[in-house]
Amino acid sequence: MTTTLLTGIRTLVTNDPALEGAEGPLGLVEDAAVVIEGERIAWAGPAAQAPAADTAHDLGGRAVLPGFVDSHSHLVFAGDRTAEFNARMSGRSYTAGGIRTTVAATRAASDEELAATLARYIAECRRQGTTTLETKSGYGLTVEQEARALRIASEQLDEVTYLGAHIVGPEYADDPDAYVSLVAGEMLQACAPYARWVDVFCEKGAFDGDQARTILTAGAAQGLIPRVHANQLGQGPGVQLAVELGAASADHCTHLSDADVDALGQAENTVATLLPGCEFSTRAVYPDARRLLDAGATVALSTDCNPGSSFTSSVPFCIAIAVREMGMTPDEAVWSATAGGARALRRDDIGRITPGAYADLTTLDAPSHVHLAYRPGVPLVDGVWYRGVRQ
Ligand code: NIG
Ligand code: FE
């Protein structure tokens, strides 16, 4: 297998503090080099100690970090919600009801249209430094439509989540419990083969704690790992349920009680995934990352890219907001958008630049990862390696 030596790295974020010569939680190495062998990292460390390789590539003083791991998006959709966004920016508030607009458009779209739209957004994410992306169903809300969305997603992505419980399907508006039975029964059977995760929007206007428990437990019995849309619009049972069920993540975490923060602080396996693009685009108060970090929680940062509440695919934008508005240091935000996302997806082969991990790397036209927050809105990502191949 061919080996490639990347040299001229001013700052390398490895996220592996155990690596020789690496400092702090980000496992930083200054004046570093990386060796890629096939699709994996073979070596990372100080340039002076780098082994020989078949070819070399000089990065000219750039910062290199693991490709972003965006562990929360909703990209199997059709249509547009510009009018809803415009109304919100004129004072209307966000509710889960807008999801119905996207459900109608998605149902009317062909398989080819949905697949092409998804491919376009995956490419958009990749150009901005994201090398791993999770996405969900949730704009179909019938057995056939949810299974179709997941089949299309699974043809393009590894990390796919069944979200039949996004809102109650319009055909079941008068009988939400019958919809819960469908989601936990026939729909789950049809969807499970295409998904790794099961998710519920646990919120007023969507599903309550008991309904969420029924669906997540049924999903787990089919081998899907739970994650929960929790405490986005107000306080509620979502976070506690996520921790109790050992969910991989509680996502949003915007409105937390002290008990919720404690639960996430003590949780062994449940990551708090913060999605500041959502608060930006709904003019809501940002989640308090500092409070979670100080309580000992593991925090991930993701885009929540979707046409309703957060139509951004930019992880650097989320990092900048998290630093400016949510009490994170630049180092913490970069960790959360790389290693934190990997934790939320229970992966140790991504989110780090260390021997054995996939060679998924992002380079910045800047000497340090701190510039992601220091230079907000500037397109600093200027190179992406995915599985060892320059994109
Ligand atoms: O994560 N909260 C629920 N789902 C999405 C919003 C989806 C939509 O508005 O279309 C979210 O914000
Ligand atoms: Fe979401």
Side-chain angles (χ1 to χ4, degrees):
M1 234 181 301
T2 322
T3 53
T4 305
L5 174 68
L6 304 182
T7 57
I9 302 173
R10 179 75 190 88
T11 309
L12 175 67
V13 175
T14 67
N15 287 335
D16 184 358
L19 209 64
E20 210 188 311
E23 285 181 19
L26 286 184
L28 292 177
V29 184
E30 306 234 310
D31 300 316
V34 171
V35 177
I36 298 172
E37 181 170 17
E39 56 179 17
R40 306 263 177 181
I41 305 288
W43 185 91
Q49 295 168 26
D54 301 325
T55 58
H57 189 101
D58 186 352
L59 289 167
R62 286 174 164 70
V64 173
L65 58 157
F68 300 123
V69 179
D70 188 349
S71 63
H72 185 140
S73 79
H74 305 244
L75 293 175
V76 187
F77 72 92
D80 178 89
R81 286 170 44 204
T82 312
E84 182 188 317
F85 177 78
N86 239 335
R88 234 173 18 242
M89 295 306 115
S90 316
R92 183 109 37 96
S93 56
Y94 175 80
T95 68
I99 293 170
R100 280 188 213 108
T101 309
T102 304
V103 169
T106 304
R107 286 181 177 183
S110 67
D111 292 11
E112 293 70 26
E113 191 184 330
L114 292 178
T117 303
L118 174 61
R120 181 168 144 233
Y121 288 112
I122 293 172
E124 183 180 290
C125 292
R126 184 71 61 78
R127 286 197 299 276
Q128 297 172 95
T130 297
T131 48
T132 303
L133 181 68
E134 176 272 5
T135 211
K136 306 174 204 303
S137 65
Y139 293 123
L141 311 185
T142 65
V143 174
E144 293 71 26
Q145 291 277 349
E146 286 292 300
R148 168 173 91 130
L150 291 167
R151 176 177 49 74
I152 289 167
S154 69
E155 284 164 5
Q156 300 188 43
L157 294 170
D158 295 334
E159 300 295 350
V160 173
T161 302
Y162 167 47
L163 181 61
H166 200 182
I167 53 168
V168 173
E171 293 78 8
Y172 289 81
D174 297 332
D175 194 356
D177 284 331
Y179 186 70
V180 171
S181 301
L182 181 73
V183 172
E186 189 190 340
M187 191 186 286
L188 170 63
Q189 296 301 326
C191 289
Y194 304 112
R196 179 169 180 227
W197 313 95
V198 57
D199 193 348
V200 175
F201 186 15
C202 183
E203 199 80 43
K204 280 208 177 75
F207 298 88
D208 68 22
D210 290 336
Q211 294 170 327
R213 178 190 298 278
T214 300
I215 294 161
L216 295 169
T217 309
Q222 294 298 312
L224 304 184
I225 309 169
R227 31 197 343 116
V228 186
H229 275 75
N231 303 50
Q232 173 188 358
L233 304 176
Q235 289 196 11
V239 162
Q240 300 284 345
L241 184 65
V243 174
E244 181 201 320
L245 296 180
S249 62
D251 299 51
H252 287 284
C253 295
T254 309
H255 297 276
L256 301 183
S257 66
D258 289 344
D260 295 331
V261 173
D262 284 349
L264 287 165
Q266 321 253 296
E268 298 270 309
N269 286 318
T270 306
V271 172
T273 299
L274 308 183
L275 309 163
C278 187
E279 282 75 31
F280 179 93
S281 301
T282 58
R283 273 204 186 139
V285 59
Y286 289 107
D288 187 345
R290 187 76 265 140
R291 188 172 168 221
L292 284 163
L293 288 166
D294 290 347
T298 302
V299 172
L301 264 181
S302 293
T303 63
D304 194 15
C305 188
N306 75 79
S309 66
S310 181
F311 206 5
T312 180
S313 52
S314 170
V315 172
F317 174 67
C318 296
I319 289 172
I321 298 178
V323 170
R324 175 63 180 81
E325 302 286 343
M326 292 154 59
M328 298 184 94
T329 66
D331 280 17
E332 286 168 338
V334 167
W335 188 92
S336 291
T338 51
R343 288 271 189 96
L345 294 174
R346 298 199 171 159
R347 298 271 302 266
D348 57 14
D349 53 353
I350 54 173
R352 327 191 282 159
I353 299 179
T354 193
Y358 280 119
D360 293 353
L361 317 176
T362 288
T363 70
L364 304 181
D365 185 10
S368 155
H369 59 289
V370 177
H371 283 230
L372 287 166
Y374 177 39
R375 306 204 62 209
V378 178
L380 295 178
V381 171
D382 67 352
V384 177
W385 269 259
Y386 178 69
R387 302 285 152 96
V389 178
R390 174 98 208 248
Q391 303 296 295

PDB file of all heavy atoms in Angstrom, residues 72 74 81 94 99 139 166 201 229 232 252 278 304 306 308-309, ligand 1:
ATOM      1  N   HIS A  72     -25.558  15.012  13.616  1.00  0.00           N
ATOM      2  CA  HIS A  72     -27.011  15.275  13.656  1.00  0.00           C
ATOM      3  C   HIS A  72     -27.431  16.142  12.471  1.00  0.00           C
ATOM      4  O   HIS A  72     -27.106  17.333  12.414  1.00  0.00           O
ATOM      5  CB  HIS A  72     -27.351  15.977  14.978  1.00  0.00           C
ATOM      6  CG  HIS A  72     -28.815  16.207  15.209  1.00  0.00           C
ATOM      7  ND1 HIS A  72     -29.419  16.045  16.436  1.00  0.00           N
ATOM      8  CD2 HIS A  72     -29.810  16.604  14.374  1.00  0.00           C
ATOM      9  CE1 HIS A  72     -30.701  16.329  16.350  1.00  0.00           C
ATOM     10  NE2 HIS A  72     -30.972  16.686  15.106  1.00  0.00           N
ATOM     11  N   HIS A  74     -30.747  16.369   9.138  1.00  0.00           N
ATOM     12  CA  HIS A  74     -32.013  15.844   8.568  1.00  0.00           C
ATOM     13  C   HIS A  74     -32.000  16.186   7.075  1.00  0.00           C
ATOM     14  O   HIS A  74     -32.525  17.225   6.668  1.00  0.00           O
ATOM     15  CB  HIS A  74     -33.236  16.548   9.156  1.00  0.00           C
ATOM     16  CG  HIS A  74     -33.370  16.540  10.652  1.00  0.00           C
ATOM     17  ND1 HIS A  74     -34.414  15.906  11.304  1.00  0.00           N
ATOM     18  CD2 HIS A  74     -32.622  17.116  11.644  1.00  0.00           C
ATOM     19  CE1 HIS A  74     -34.318  16.100  12.616  1.00  0.00           C
ATOM     20  NE2 HIS A  74     -33.239  16.835  12.852  1.00  0.00           N
ATOM     21  N   ARG A  81     -38.304  26.113   3.071  1.00  0.00           N
ATOM     22  CA  ARG A  81     -39.126  26.824   4.065  1.00  0.00           C
ATOM     23  C   ARG A  81     -38.661  28.265   4.253  1.00  0.00           C
ATOM     24  O   ARG A  81     -38.642  28.795   5.358  1.00  0.00           O
ATOM     25  CB  ARG A  81     -39.174  26.024   5.361  1.00  0.00           C
ATOM     26  CG  ARG A  81     -40.092  24.846   5.128  1.00  0.00           C
ATOM     27  CD  ARG A  81     -40.171  23.780   6.108  1.00  0.00           C
ATOM     28  NE  ARG A  81     -40.246  24.075   7.493  1.00  0.00           N
ATOM     29  CZ  ARG A  81     -39.867  23.203   8.432  1.00  0.00           C
ATOM     30  NH1 ARG A  81     -39.412  22.015   8.079  1.00  0.00           N
ATOM     31  NH2 ARG A  81     -39.965  23.507   9.697  1.00  0.00           N
ATOM     32  N   TYR A  94     -40.886  29.747  16.396  1.00  0.00           N
ATOM     33  CA  TYR A  94     -40.745  28.413  15.792  1.00  0.00           C
ATOM     34  C   TYR A  94     -41.622  27.419  16.533  1.00  0.00           C
ATOM     35  O   TYR A  94     -41.657  27.401  17.757  1.00  0.00           O
ATOM     36  CB  TYR A  94     -39.280  27.952  15.872  1.00  0.00           C
ATOM     37  CG  TYR A  94     -39.084  26.539  15.367  1.00  0.00           C
ATOM     38  CD1 TYR A  94     -39.000  26.279  14.009  1.00  0.00           C
ATOM     39  CD2 TYR A  94     -39.024  25.464  16.246  1.00  0.00           C
ATOM     40  CE1 TYR A  94     -38.843  24.986  13.529  1.00  0.00           C
ATOM     41  CE2 TYR A  94     -38.855  24.170  15.785  1.00  0.00           C
ATOM     42  CZ  TYR A  94     -38.772  23.935  14.421  1.00  0.00           C
ATOM     43  OH  TYR A  94     -38.624  22.651  13.960  1.00  0.00           O
ATOM     44  N   ILE A  99     -42.820  21.342  10.314  1.00  0.00           N
ATOM     45  CA  ILE A  99     -42.340  20.072   9.765  1.00  0.00           C
ATOM     46  C   ILE A  99     -43.328  19.542   8.724  1.00  0.00           C
ATOM     47  O   ILE A  99     -42.935  18.934   7.721  1.00  0.00           O
ATOM     48  CB  ILE A  99     -42.118  19.055  10.918  1.00  0.00           C
ATOM     49  CG1 ILE A  99     -40.954  19.527  11.808  1.00  0.00           C
ATOM     50  CG2 ILE A  99     -41.862  17.655  10.391  1.00  0.00           C
ATOM     51  CD1 ILE A  99     -40.796  18.742  13.115  1.00  0.00           C
ATOM     52  N   TYR A 139     -39.352  12.940   7.535  1.00  0.00           N
ATOM     53  CA  TYR A 139     -40.221  13.786   6.710  1.00  0.00           C
ATOM     54  C   TYR A 139     -41.090  12.910   5.784  1.00  0.00           C
ATOM     55  O   TYR A 139     -41.536  13.376   4.748  1.00  0.00           O
ATOM     56  CB  TYR A 139     -39.394  14.765   5.876  1.00  0.00           C
ATOM     57  CG  TYR A 139     -38.654  15.819   6.672  1.00  0.00           C
ATOM     58  CD1 TYR A 139     -37.276  15.965   6.562  1.00  0.00           C
ATOM     59  CD2 TYR A 139     -39.337  16.690   7.527  1.00  0.00           C
ATOM     60  CE1 TYR A 139     -36.591  16.948   7.267  1.00  0.00           C
ATOM     61  CE2 TYR A 139     -38.652  17.668   8.240  1.00  0.00           C
ATOM     62  CZ  TYR A 139     -37.286  17.788   8.101  1.00  0.00           C
ATOM     63  OH  TYR A 139     -36.616  18.769   8.802  1.00  0.00           O
ATOM     64  N   HIS A 166     -40.983  11.882  14.395  1.00  0.00           N
ATOM     65  CA  HIS A 166     -40.588  13.296  14.303  1.00  0.00           C
ATOM     66  C   HIS A 166     -41.772  14.136  14.768  1.00  0.00           C
ATOM     67  O   HIS A 166     -41.671  14.916  15.714  1.00  0.00           O
ATOM     68  CB  HIS A 166     -40.173  13.611  12.860  1.00  0.00           C
ATOM     69  CG  HIS A 166     -39.323  14.836  12.710  1.00  0.00           C
ATOM     70  ND1 HIS A 166     -38.893  15.298  11.497  1.00  0.00           N
ATOM     71  CD2 HIS A 166     -38.814  15.691  13.625  1.00  0.00           C
ATOM     72  CE1 HIS A 166     -38.164  16.387  11.673  1.00  0.00           C
ATOM     73  NE2 HIS A 166     -38.103  16.642  12.955  1.00  0.00           N
ATOM     74  N   PHE A 201     -38.497  12.810  18.625  1.00  0.00           N
ATOM     75  CA  PHE A 201     -38.597  14.235  18.980  1.00  0.00           C
ATOM     76  C   PHE A 201     -39.500  14.293  20.213  1.00  0.00           C
ATOM     77  O   PHE A 201     -40.723  14.238  20.105  1.00  0.00           O
ATOM     78  CB  PHE A 201     -39.174  15.011  17.796  1.00  0.00           C
ATOM     79  CG  PHE A 201     -39.207  16.519  17.952  1.00  0.00           C
ATOM     80  CD1 PHE A 201     -38.487  17.189  18.934  1.00  0.00           C
ATOM     81  CD2 PHE A 201     -39.965  17.282  17.068  1.00  0.00           C
ATOM     82  CE1 PHE A 201     -38.515  18.580  19.044  1.00  0.00           C
ATOM     83  CE2 PHE A 201     -40.012  18.673  17.166  1.00  0.00           C
ATOM     84  CZ  PHE A 201     -39.290  19.319  18.152  1.00  0.00           C
ATOM     85  N   HIS A 229     -34.144  13.675  20.518  1.00  0.00           N
ATOM     86  CA  HIS A 229     -34.286  15.131  20.412  1.00  0.00           C
ATOM     87  C   HIS A 229     -34.899  15.590  21.731  1.00  0.00           C
ATOM     88  O   HIS A 229     -36.086  15.365  21.982  1.00  0.00           O
ATOM     89  CB  HIS A 229     -35.252  15.501  19.285  1.00  0.00           C
ATOM     90  CG  HIS A 229     -34.628  15.575  17.928  1.00  0.00           C
ATOM     91  ND1 HIS A 229     -34.270  14.468  17.202  1.00  0.00           N
ATOM     92  CD2 HIS A 229     -34.326  16.653  17.156  1.00  0.00           C
ATOM     93  CE1 HIS A 229     -33.771  14.860  16.035  1.00  0.00           C
ATOM     94  NE2 HIS A 229     -33.791  16.182  15.979  1.00  0.00           N
ATOM     95  N   GLN A 232     -35.470  20.843  23.520  1.00  0.00           N
ATOM     96  CA  GLN A 232     -35.171  21.891  22.542  1.00  0.00           C
ATOM     97  C   GLN A 232     -36.003  23.141  22.795  1.00  0.00           C
ATOM     98  O   GLN A 232     -35.481  24.251  22.830  1.00  0.00           O
ATOM     99  CB  GLN A 232     -35.447  21.392  21.107  1.00  0.00           C
ATOM    100  CG  GLN A 232     -35.315  22.492  20.050  1.00  0.00           C
ATOM    101  CD  GLN A 232     -35.769  22.060  18.654  1.00  0.00           C
ATOM    102  OE1 GLN A 232     -36.158  20.917  18.440  1.00  0.00           O
ATOM    103  NE2 GLN A 232     -35.736  22.986  17.717  1.00  0.00           N
ATOM    104  N   HIS A 252     -29.852  18.754  21.305  1.00  0.00           N
ATOM    105  CA  HIS A 252     -30.378  20.097  21.567  1.00  0.00           C
ATOM    106  C   HIS A 252     -29.996  20.527  22.976  1.00  0.00           C
ATOM    107  O   HIS A 252     -29.175  21.398  23.148  1.00  0.00           O
ATOM    108  CB  HIS A 252     -31.905  20.236  21.348  1.00  0.00           C
ATOM    109  CG  HIS A 252     -32.308  20.231  19.908  1.00  0.00           C
ATOM    110  ND1 HIS A 252     -32.142  21.312  19.096  1.00  0.00           N
ATOM    111  CD2 HIS A 252     -32.850  19.258  19.140  1.00  0.00           C
ATOM    112  CE1 HIS A 252     -32.564  21.022  17.874  1.00  0.00           C
ATOM    113  NE2 HIS A 252     -33.004  19.770  17.868  1.00  0.00           N
ATOM    114  N   CYS A 278     -29.520  25.900  15.196  1.00  0.00           N
ATOM    115  CA  CYS A 278     -30.958  25.887  15.438  1.00  0.00           C
ATOM    116  C   CYS A 278     -31.391  27.124  16.239  1.00  0.00           C
ATOM    117  O   CYS A 278     -32.356  27.812  15.859  1.00  0.00           O
ATOM    118  CB  CYS A 278     -31.282  24.598  16.173  1.00  0.00           C
ATOM    119  SG  CYS A 278     -32.991  24.334  16.382  1.00  0.00           S
ATOM    120  N   ASP A 304     -27.331  20.089  12.868  1.00  0.00           N
ATOM    121  CA  ASP A 304     -28.783  19.880  12.779  1.00  0.00           C
ATOM    122  C   ASP A 304     -29.309  20.311  11.401  1.00  0.00           C
ATOM    123  O   ASP A 304     -30.456  20.737  11.276  1.00  0.00           O
ATOM    124  CB  ASP A 304     -29.516  20.660  13.884  1.00  0.00           C
ATOM    125  CG  ASP A 304     -30.966  20.228  14.068  1.00  0.00           C
ATOM    126  OD1 ASP A 304     -31.346  19.154  13.569  1.00  0.00           O
ATOM    127  OD2 ASP A 304     -31.721  20.983  14.720  1.00  0.00           O
ATOM    128  N   ASN A 306     -31.186  21.118   8.468  1.00  0.00           N
ATOM    129  CA  ASN A 306     -32.546  20.754   8.020  1.00  0.00           C
ATOM    130  C   ASN A 306     -33.204  22.020   7.480  1.00  0.00           C
ATOM    131  O   ASN A 306     -32.782  23.128   7.813  1.00  0.00           O
ATOM    132  CB  ASN A 306     -33.343  20.142   9.186  1.00  0.00           C
ATOM    133  CG  ASN A 306     -33.811  21.182  10.182  1.00  0.00           C
ATOM    134  OD1 ASN A 306     -34.792  21.887   9.952  1.00  0.00           O
ATOM    135  ND2 ASN A 306     -33.113  21.315  11.303  1.00  0.00           N
ATOM    136  N   GLY A 308     -35.966  23.438   8.122  1.00  0.00           N
ATOM    137  CA  GLY A 308     -36.848  24.210   8.993  1.00  0.00           C
ATOM    138  C   GLY A 308     -36.123  25.024  10.037  1.00  0.00           C
ATOM    139  O   GLY A 308     -36.156  26.256  10.019  1.00  0.00           O
ATOM    140  N   SER A 309     -35.422  24.346  10.943  1.00  0.00           N
ATOM    141  CA  SER A 309     -34.924  25.054  12.121  1.00  0.00           C
ATOM    142  C   SER A 309     -33.447  25.425  12.045  1.00  0.00           C
ATOM    143  O   SER A 309     -32.968  26.177  12.898  1.00  0.00           O
ATOM    144  CB  SER A 309     -35.148  24.195  13.370  1.00  0.00           C
ATOM    145  OG  SER A 309     -34.352  23.037  13.311  1.00  0.00           O
TER     146      SER A 309
HETATM  147  O1  NIG B   1     -33.873  19.127  15.110  1.00  0.00           O
HETATM  148  N1  NIG B   1     -36.617  19.316  16.385  1.00  0.00           N
HETATM  149  C1  NIG B   1     -37.022  18.567  15.522  1.00  0.00           C
HETATM  150  N2  NIG B   1     -36.515  18.414  14.326  1.00  0.00           N
HETATM  151  C2  NIG B   1     -35.701  19.373  13.680  1.00  0.00           C
HETATM  152  C3  NIG B   1     -36.505  20.417  13.030  1.00  0.00           C
HETATM  153  C4  NIG B   1     -37.121  19.918  11.832  1.00  0.00           C
HETATM  154  C5  NIG B   1     -37.900  20.940  11.075  1.00  0.00           C
HETATM  155  O2  NIG B   1     -38.301  22.015  11.573  1.00  0.00           O
HETATM  156  O3  NIG B   1     -38.135  20.603   9.897  1.00  0.00           O
HETATM  157  C6  NIG B   1     -34.673  19.912  14.643  1.00  0.00           C
HETATM  158  O4  NIG B   1     -34.625  21.116  14.907  1.00  0.00           O
END
